[in-house]
């Protein structure tokens, strides 16, 4: 038995789904899986049967685990008015949503404290994507504020 087995988390990453969605597919019988202890394992052939075609292998595996590099960044911007905050937040979210389907997930959250006129931007994603968003924040603040 030399077939590749994936965890629910790996399948979720490969398909761009939430872990709970993949577990639901397993429980509903839409995705065949084997239960080993308290965890499910999904064979590559079963995953391809669900998707209807070949599934790209994870970029890099070490001892059966997918290596993923993720950066978490918090940007604090003080003395920012609500209009500028709204414009900046909209542009950042549009930038992230515009890259849908590129494989890597990037998440962004903005938190505005009106009383302090302060904006926090939380970015979670790959190092290159995070750096790109940080450059965008810098250029938007230089141009418009």
């Amino acid at each position: 038995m030399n077939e590749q087995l994936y965890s629910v988390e790996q399948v979720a990453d490969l398909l761009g789904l939430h872990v709970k969605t993949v577990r639901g597919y397993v429980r509903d019988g839409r995705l065949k899986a084997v239960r080993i202890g308290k965890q499910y394992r999904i064979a590559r052939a079963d995953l391809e049967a669900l998707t209807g075609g070949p599934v790209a292998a994870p970029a890099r595996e070490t001892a059966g685990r997918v290596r993923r590099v993720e950066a978490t960044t918090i940007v604090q911007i003080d003395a920012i008015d609500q209009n500028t905050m709204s414009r900046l937040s909209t542009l950042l979210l549009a930038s992230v949503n515009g890259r849908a389907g590129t494989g890597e997930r990037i998440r962004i959250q903005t938190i505005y404290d009106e009383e302090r006129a302060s904006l926090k931007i939380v970015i979670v994603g790959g190092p290159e994507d995070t750096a790109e968003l940080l450059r965008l924040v810098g250029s938007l603040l230089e141009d418009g504020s």
Side-chain angles (χ1 to χ4, degrees), residues 17 44 118 128:
L17 298 173
R44 182 178 195 82
S118 166
E128 294 85 12

Side-chain angles (χ1 to χ4, degrees), residues 122-137:
V122 181
I123 304 169
V124 181
E128 294 85 12
D129 294 330
T130 301
E132 186 179 319
L133 281 176
L134 290 173
R135 281 190 290 278
L136 180 61
V137 168

Side-chain angles (χ1 to χ4, degrees), residues 32-139:
K32 187 176 173 186
V34 176
R35 192 171 179 106
I36 301 173
K38 293 184 177 183
Q39 298 182 349
Y40 291 112
R41 291 290 183 252
I42 297 108
R44 182 178 195 82
D46 295 326
L47 182 56
E48 290 176 351
L50 173 76
T51 62
V55 176
R60 185 175 299 188
E61 294 187 10
T62 306
R65 294 182 161 230
V66 176
R67 178 175 294 161
R68 186 174 76 196
V69 178
E70 195 170 70
T72 302
T73 306
I74 300 174
V75 179
Q76 172 86 29
I77 304 169
D78 293 324
I80 185 169
D81 63 78
Q82 194 161 12
N83 287 335
T84 305
M85 176 279 303
S86 180
R87 184 175 61 88
L88 180 61
S89 296
T90 301
L91 288 170
L92 288 173
L93 292 172
S95 171
V96 170
N97 290 337
R99 13 177 7 271
T102 60
E104 291 291 320
R105 290 189 305 178
I106 187 161
R107 294 168 304 283
I108 187 166
Q109 182 175 7
T110 58
I111 304 131
Y112 183 66
D113 184 341
E114 191 173 350
E115 186 176 302
R116 294 183 178 163
S118 166
L119 174 66
K120 280 191 184 180
I121 304 168
V122 181
I123 304 169
V124 181
E128 294 85 12
D129 294 330
T130 301
E132 186 179 319
L133 281 176
L134 290 173
R135 281 190 290 278
L136 180 61
V137 168
S139 67

Side-chain angles (χ1 to χ4, degrees), residues 16-35:
L17 298 173
H18 195 277
V19 173
K20 289 182 180 182
T21 303
V22 175
R23 283 192 191 114
Y25 288 172
V26 170
R27 287 188 196 112
D28 294 345
R30 292 172 61 184
L31 176 60
K32 187 176 173 186
V34 176
R35 192 171 179 106

